[in-house]
């Protein structure tokens, strides 16, 4: 017998979102609008950072990478979900499913590391302002981004290789709108102990540890502000940290809601709804948070618009 593939199935069936058939059109329009807003909003952030020399700083360097990651993160799941909502064929090939798992994990981990790098940048800017330029130099920023991509790629690759060694010889129906790793493990006819142990180990490294680092950074920032309790310092801290804190709350809030308060074994609806939050809603809201709560971004946008008016 040839062992070209460990899987007994050639494709999986995605059940999609827990909505009634007559509501498909409304939700399709809603999610399509959200996806297009995510693309345009994050592309606008990248464009503004690219065009405005005042935004060529470490914080906006990380933000441009975060915006790019959000575009890719939504694009891993949203197009397939929207296609399935408009067609009767909800299947996804085995190779396509494994690829979706890899890129979903890669970009999800990358988000976590980039948010941590941005928190460190804010810590240095507020707690060590005199040494900020020296510490947060171009080499360190580039190193942090390269390390984020490397660690995320390694984590996603190991998860995917372990998943590829499992057999799927029974039910091929996934009660989800994309190939979620934990949902796939429940379908496997193989022993998934190693996979689950690896998920726990890597989860501590790429989610819990960065989250603790973010909390420690903002703990130091808070202590630094309290030492000089002036209105000017508080306003400055809020202007530089408010947007980032909002994004961190959205990102880790949905993860905590999904993994620390799991749904019952009889219902998967809550997991699917929370997945919508962190795959579509959070990436869509990030541009609004950074543009509405950040004076530099609003200034850059107004400058670009004024130059456009002059050219017209």
């Amino acid at each position: 017998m040839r062992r070209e593939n460990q899987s007994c199935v050639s494709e999986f069936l995605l059940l999609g979102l827990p909505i009634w058939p007559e509501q498909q059109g409304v939700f399709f329009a809603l999610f399509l609008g959200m996806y297009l807003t995510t693309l345009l909003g994050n592309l606008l952030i990248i464009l503004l950072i690219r065009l405005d020399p005042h935004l060529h700083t470490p914080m906006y360097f990380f933000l441009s990478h975060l915006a790019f990651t959000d575009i890719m993160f939504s694009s891993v799941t949203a197009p397939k979900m929207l296609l399935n909502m408009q067609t009767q064929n909800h299947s996804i090939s085995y190779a396509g499913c494994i690829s979706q798992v890899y890129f979903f994990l890669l970009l999800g981990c990358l988000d976590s590391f980039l948010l941590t790098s941005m928190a460190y940048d804010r810590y240095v800017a507020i707690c060590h302002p005199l040494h900020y330029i020296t510490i947060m130099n171009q080499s360190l920023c580039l190193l942090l981004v390269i390390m984020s991509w490397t660690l995320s790629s390694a984590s996603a690759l190991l998860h995917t290789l372990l998943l590829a060694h499992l057999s799927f010889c029974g039910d091929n129906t996934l009660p989800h709108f994309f190939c979620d790793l934990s949902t796939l493990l429940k379908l496997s006819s193989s022993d998934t102990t190693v996979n689950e142990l690896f998920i726990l180990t890597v989860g501590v490294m790429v989610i819990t540890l960065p989250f603790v680092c973010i909390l420690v950074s903002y703990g130091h920032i808070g202590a630094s502000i309290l030492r000089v309790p002036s209105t000017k310092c508080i306003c400055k801290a809020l202007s530089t940290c408010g947007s980032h804190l909002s994004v961190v709350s959205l990102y880790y809030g949905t993860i905590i809601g999904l993994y620390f308060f799991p749904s019952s074994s009889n219902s998967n609806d809550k997991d699917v709804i929370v997945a919508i939050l962190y795959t579509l809603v959070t990436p869509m809201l990030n541009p609004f948070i950074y543009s509405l709560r950040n004076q530099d971004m609003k200034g850059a946008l107004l400058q670009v618009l004024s130059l456009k008016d002059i050219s017209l």
Side-chain angles (χ1 to χ4, degrees), residues 279-295:
T279 57
L280 269 179
V281 178
T282 301
M284 179 192 70
L285 291 178
N286 287 357
F288 291 101
I289 291 172
Y290 278 105
S291 60
L292 294 176
R293 300 192 59 171
N294 190 294
Q295 296 297 327

Side-chain angles (χ1 to χ4, degrees), residues 27 59 65 88-89 102 229:
F27 279 96
M59 182 177 75
H65 282 272
Q88 296 301 318
N89 182 18
Y102 171 77

Side-chain angles (χ1 to χ4, degrees), residues 199-214:
I199 289 174
L200 181 62
T201 305
V202 174
V204 171
M205 293 176 59
V206 303
I207 300 295
T208 308
L209 214 65
F211 184 53
V212 171
C213 291
I214 291 173

Side-chain angles (χ1 to χ4, degrees), residues 49-67:
I49 293 173
R50 187 76 175 175
L51 293 177
D52 192 340
H54 296 97
L55 300 182
H56 294 174
T57 63
M59 182 177 75
Y60 294 107
F61 173 73
F62 293 128
L63 177 57
S64 63
H65 282 272
L66 183 66

Side-chain angles (χ1 to χ4, degrees), residues 62-180:
F62 293 128
L63 177 57
S64 63
H65 282 272
L66 183 66
F68 174 76
T69 303
D70 283 340
I71 291 173
M72 300 303 295
F73 189 57
S74 290
S75 299
V76 170
T77 58
K80 179 61 178 175
M81 178 190 72
L82 293 170
L83 179 64
N84 288 350
M85 292 178 73
Q86 289 295 100
T87 63
Q88 296 301 318
N89 182 18
H90 292 183
S91 64
I92 182 172
S93 67
Y94 175 81
C97 193
I98 296 296
S99 300
Q100 193 177 57
V101 169
Y102 171 77
F103 286 107
F104 182 84
L105 293 174
L106 164 65
L107 297 162
C109 293
L110 188 57
D111 253 350
S112 180
F113 286 126
L114 289 174
L115 289 173
T116 308
S117 300
M118 294 172 75
Y120 177 70
D121 173 73
R122 294 300 84 207
Y123 159 73
V124 177
I126 293 175
C127 298
H128 304 283
L130 299 178
H131 302 285
Y132 178 74
I133 297 177
T134 306
I135 297 173
M136 296 304 298
N137 54 59
Q138 187 176 5
S139 299
L140 178 63
C141 294
L142 192 59
L143 178 63
L144 288 173
V145 169
I146 291 173
M147 286 179 60
S148 298
W149 275 97
T150 303
L151 293 174
S152 300
S153 300
S155 168
L157 180 61
L158 289 172
H159 272 301
T160 308
L161 290 175
L162 287 173
L163 178 65
H165 279 80
L166 299 180
S167 296
F168 297 89
C169 297
D171 186 14
N172 71 332
T173 303
L174 286 170
H176 221 301
F177 63 91
F178 71 98
C179 291
D180 178 60

Side-chain angles (χ1 to χ4, degrees), residues 217-233:
S217 296
Y218 278 102
H220 283 289
I221 290 172
S224 178
I225 294 171
L226 291 175
R227 283 197 293 268
V228 190
S230 68
T231 306
K232 184 178 179 180
C233 287

